[in-house]
Structures are given as structure tokens and as C-alpha cells.
């Protein structure tokens, strides 16, 4: 990972600026996907279970993240990813399928997704440096929320889910691919 100080501290006009449109597009896509994953999980998890209660809390935070990126896209005139219909269906399916396997598999899904999102946001903060303090502050806040989600999922037994290594590897690969394509289209 690049040294944040090297990018932020030494950035000067004329240096290559971060591609803010691409950043906002992929972040919006990710938060949108997150709301869909949790919607899929909640469609399966029994309403009164402790897992459903925790997922409801995480889903509410994802709605806040998404609302903020909706606002930023509008303010800065950035179009959302063309793949939003895919994340609509794919996110919901990922959440529903993992919850159907087991509550721990649902938590393993959250663990995997939030691990990738944490890395993604850390990389964006590196790229942003001190070029966009408003956006960086939002990302820092959301990154803290995502890490809390990951920790919650681990406390709920994510790492004990049957087939955790393959499940985690697969979901992280899906996230990496989704991030890569949402930056471009
Ligand atoms: Fe989020
Ligand atoms: Fe999250």
C-alpha cells in the first residue's frame, strides 16, 4: 500500500489528481450493493433472531452510507454505475444465499465483504491524501462503520462457518471484481 503521507503531503497542483468521479461511482455502487446484501439476508433470517437484529442495525448504517453517496453523486454530477441493476439482483442473491446456508455463513459474507471494503476505503484515503477533506472525512467514518460490521460478524461466529476459507475467498473475489468493474463502468 502506498504511503499516505507521500501522496497527501507532497501533492501539488499539476500532479495527477485522484479520479473523483470513478471513486464516487464505485463507492456508491458498493454501498448500494451492501444495502442489497443485507436486504437479502433479512429476507431469510427470522425477524426475532439475534442475527436479524444485528443485521438490521448494520443495514441501517449502510442506508446512511448510500444516502450520503446519493447526495455526493448529485452534487458533483457523477452518474451511477451502469451495472446497478446487476448489483441490485446480485447483492440480494448473495445475502439470501449465504443466510440460507446458515447464520454463520451470513456472518462470513459480512466478514468477507467488509474486509474488502476496508481495504478499498484505505486505498482511496491514500489516493485522496489531502485533496478532498470533505470526501475523506466521510470515507473515514464509513470505513470505521464497516470495520465495526466485520467485528460484529466475527463475534457472531463468521470464522466458524462451515467451509469458511472457500466461502470467504469466493466472496472476496466477487467484491474485488465488482469494485474493479464499477470503477470503469
Ligand atoms: Fe457501508
Ligand atoms: Fe458495512
Amino acid at each position: 500500500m502506498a504511503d499516505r503521507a507521500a501522496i497527501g503531503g507532497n501533492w501539488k497542483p499539476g500532479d495527477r489528481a485522484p479520479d473523483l468521479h470513478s471513486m464516487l461511482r464505485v463507492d456508491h455502487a458498493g454501498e448500494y450493493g451492501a444495502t442489497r446484501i443485507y436486504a437479502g439476508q433479512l429476507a431469510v433470517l427470522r425477524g426475532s433472531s439475534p442475527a436479524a437484529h444485528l443485521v438490521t442495525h448494520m443495514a441501517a448504517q449502510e442506508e446512511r452510507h448510500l444516502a450520503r453517496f446519493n447526495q455526493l453523486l448529485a452534487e458533483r454530477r457523477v452518474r451511477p454505475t451502469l451495472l446497478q441493476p446487476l448489483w441490485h439482483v446480485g447483492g440480494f442473491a448473495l445475502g439470501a444465499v449465504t443466510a440460507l446456508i446458515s447464520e454463520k455463513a451470513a456472518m462470513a459474507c459480512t466478514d468477507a465483504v467488509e474486509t474488502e471494503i476496508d481495504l478499498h476505503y484505505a486505498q482511496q484515503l491514500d489516493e485522496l491524501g489531502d485533496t478532498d477533506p470533505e470526501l475523506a472525512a466521510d470515507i473515514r467514518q464509513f470505513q470505521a462503520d464497516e470495520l465495526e460490521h466485520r467485528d460484529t460478524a466475527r463475534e457472531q461466529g463468521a470464522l466458524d462457518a462451515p467451509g469458511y476459507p472457500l466461502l470467504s475467498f469466493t466472496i472476496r473475489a466477487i467484491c474485488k471484481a465488482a469494485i474493479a468493474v464499477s470503477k470503469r463502468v
Side-chain angles (χ1 to χ4, degrees), residues 145-172:
D145 291 343
E146 314 302 7
L147 283 173
E148 194 185 292
H149 299 170
R150 189 197 66 185
D151 292 346
T152 299
R154 290 186 179 176
E155 283 160 20
Q156 294 301 309
L159 277 55
D160 306 327
Y164 172 83
L166 180 61
L167 192 60
S168 179
F169 176 85
T170 305
I171 294 171
R172 288 182 64 170

Side-chain angles (χ1 to χ4, degrees), residues 38 62 114 146 149:
Y38 289 128
E62 302 301 356
E114 304 296 18
E146 314 302 7
H149 299 170

Side-chain angles (χ1 to χ4, degrees), residues 7 16 18-19 23 122-129 131 183:
I7 294 171
R16 200 176 68 88
D19 183 348
M23 282 188 173
Q123 191 190 337
Q124 280 198 343
L125 288 169
D126 274 347
E127 286 173 36
L128 280 173
T131 59
K183 282 181 190 170

